Every structure is written in C-alpha cells, then in structure tokens.
Amino acid sequence: MTSQRFRNPVFVALDTPDLDKALELGRSLKDYVGGLKIGLEFITAHGPEGVRAVVAIGLPVFADVKFHDIPNTVAAASRELARLGATIFNIHVSGGEVMMREAVAGARAVDPRVMVVGVTVLTSIDNDILGAVGQRGPAAEQVVRLARLAKHAGLDGVVCSAQEIAAIRSACGPDFLLVTPGIRPAGAALADQRRVMTPAEAQRAGSDIMVIGRPITGAADPVAAARAIAAELGMTAPA
Ligand code: C5P
C-alpha cells in the first residue's frame, strides 16, 4: 500500500492531560493543521472515550502509543486502536518483524487505511544507553538498520528526527512515510528539543508529517501560530 500523503503535513501534539483544553485546541485548529497527535499521557488519562472525542473533531489522528509486546498482544491492541478511529499509530521496530507484521494485519483488518509507523531509536537514547541495553550502535546506524527492517516488515514509515531524513530516505525510498518531531519555527523557544529544523527546512528535507506541539499549543494565539506555519509551508488557504 502506498502511504497516503497529507496536504497539510502538520500534526499538532495535544500534550495536555486536560480533556476540555485538548478538544478546544483541536477544534480551533481544525482548518490550519493536517492532523492531531495524542500520546500516552492523554490516552492513559482519558482512555477510549478521550480518543473517540478527539477523532470526532474530524481530522486524522496519530496515536503515539509506541506498542512493544508479543505479536499476539500487539495485534489485538492494534485492532482496538483502529476501532477507535486512529488514522496512524506507532510501534517499536525492536519488537521484531513478526510483531510489526501482526500489528499491520490487526489494524488493517478493521480499517485498511490505517497507517503504522515504527519507532527506531528514541531520541532520548544515546550510544552509551544503546550499548547498555545490548543494541548494536552507533545510534545513527541502528536507526537506519531498524528503518530498513520496518520497511521490510510492511510498515508505512518511521518516526525520525529531521536530521535523519536523508539517510533513511536513501535506505528506504521515496514512498516511506517520515514523521518528524523536533520542529521549531524560526524564533520559537527550543524548550527541551535540541537538534531542530524549521518547518520549511523539514519540508525541503522531505518530512511527510511534522509533529509540532508547544510552538502552537503554547503560543498566546495558537490559531495564529498554526496559520503562520501553514503559510511558511506554502499553504495559503485553510487545509
Ligand atoms: O512540543 P513539541 O513540539 O516539542 O512536541 C513534540 C511532540 O513530539 C511531543 O508530543 C513529543 O512527545 C513527541 N516526540 C518528540 N521526539 C521524539 C518522539 C516524539 O518530541 N523523538
């Protein structure tokens, strides 16, 4: 299956445990972003009802769940996530090929349009941590090794830093979906992100989905911030 591409590649990260705030933000940004991303904090706090409420806003939803378990369990969880209406979700590539194949099969049995992307090496993991858990480094090489495995196992793409796009693109080809966090418009606060790119730089580098949180959600005017990013990406009309 060729991965769907999004006209507006910005998925806003609704990183708040406050359900009303998340829903209000999502609704207000609907015309200016391409999708909504929810993560473990939100899903743990609000459960399936919370996920359904975000899906009901009407934008594609990326569930950042990072599944990693035995294949049968991941397949079952993937099925349930697809039933909740997630458009994209992620799993750890280090769970292995069978786990990845079963995640895709489980989700697609419910909805053939669901996209599954892999987590290679978390950006919080450096070469020392990688060695301590017995994975072969250096991290930059492990990222590409796992991206190739993800592609071989039938995943739609991987989550990666914008700096890793070139290496993964050349290893996995033009149709592999590259999802990049760590995006900061020029002048925005870095907060805890370190190696960042602006939206325009990430677009030029070939990012398919940009996960952007605080530069939008922490702005005095989130709608204006999302509009400015859309304009930077060459989108003049609402998404
Ligand atoms: O606020 P900010 O733009 O930094 O948010 C980025 C989002 O992407 C957060 O939800 C964060 O958990 C997620 N993320 C990340 N880096 C990764 C993977 C996910 O920042 N390597």
Side-chain angles (χ1 to χ4, degrees):
M1 171 183 164
T2 303
S3 296
Q4 176 190 339
R5 291 293 186 268
F6 298 91
R7 197 178 84 74
N8 184 332
V10 176
F11 273 53
V12 63
L14 300 176
D15 289 325
T16 165
D18 181 334
L19 179 60
D20 292 336
K21 193 173 166 209
L23 295 177
E24 195 185 302
L25 258 172
R27 288 185 194 118
S28 69
L29 293 167
K30 190 172 176 194
D31 289 337
Y32 306 102
V33 297
L36 306 171
K37 193 211 83 156
I38 48 176
L40 288 177
E41 180 184 10
F42 180 92
I43 295 168
T44 306
H46 305 296
E49 286 313 315
V51 178
R52 282 193 201 98
V54 172
V55 168
I57 292 172
L59 284 170
V61 171
F62 171 24
D64 185 8
V65 289
K66 298 188 180 73
F67 288 151
H68 187 171
D69 207 318
I70 59 170
N72 184 61
T73 299
V74 169
S78 301
R79 235 177 359 252
E80 295 307 324
L81 204 50
R83 283 195 182 117
L84 292 177
T87 300
I88 311 176
F89 69 96
N90 54 10
I91 59 178
H92 275 281
V93 179
S94 53
E97 182 177 343
V98 176
M99 187 201 81
M100 288 189 275
R101 289 196 184 281
E102 295 213 7
V104 172
R108 298 247 172 93
V110 175
D111 181 349
R113 297 164 302 180
V114 173
M115 287 175 275
V116 187
V117 294
V119 174
T120 58
V121 179
L122 292 169
T123 47
S124 54
I125 290 189
D126 61 17
N127 289 336
D128 290 341
I129 301 175
L130 203 62
V133 297
Q135 284 197 32
R136 187 149 47 107
E141 286 176 20
Q142 179 69 344
V143 164
V144 173
R145 193 178 296 125
L146 290 177
R148 284 185 201 276
L149 180 61
K151 183 171 186 203
H152 172 73
L155 295 202
D156 293 281
V158 289
V159 182
C160 64
S161 90
Q163 277 80 11
E164 293 162 350
I165 291 175
I168 298 175
R169 205 39 99 209
S170 87
C172 298
D175 292 334
F176 206 52
L177 197 73
L178 299 183
V179 180
T180 59
I183 305 294
R184 288 291 179 269
L190 292 187
D192 51 0
Q193 298 285 8
R194 288 294 167 263
R195 294 177 304 126
V196 300
M197 278 193 193
T198 66
E201 285 169 344
Q203 185 181 48
R204 277 196 295 278
S207 168
D208 298 299
I209 292 181
M210 301 177 198
V211 174
I212 306 181
R214 290 161 289 181
I216 296 175
T217 59
D221 183 345
V223 171
R227 287 175 82 138
I229 291 170
E232 179 178 341
L233 295 172
M235 284 166 288
T236 46

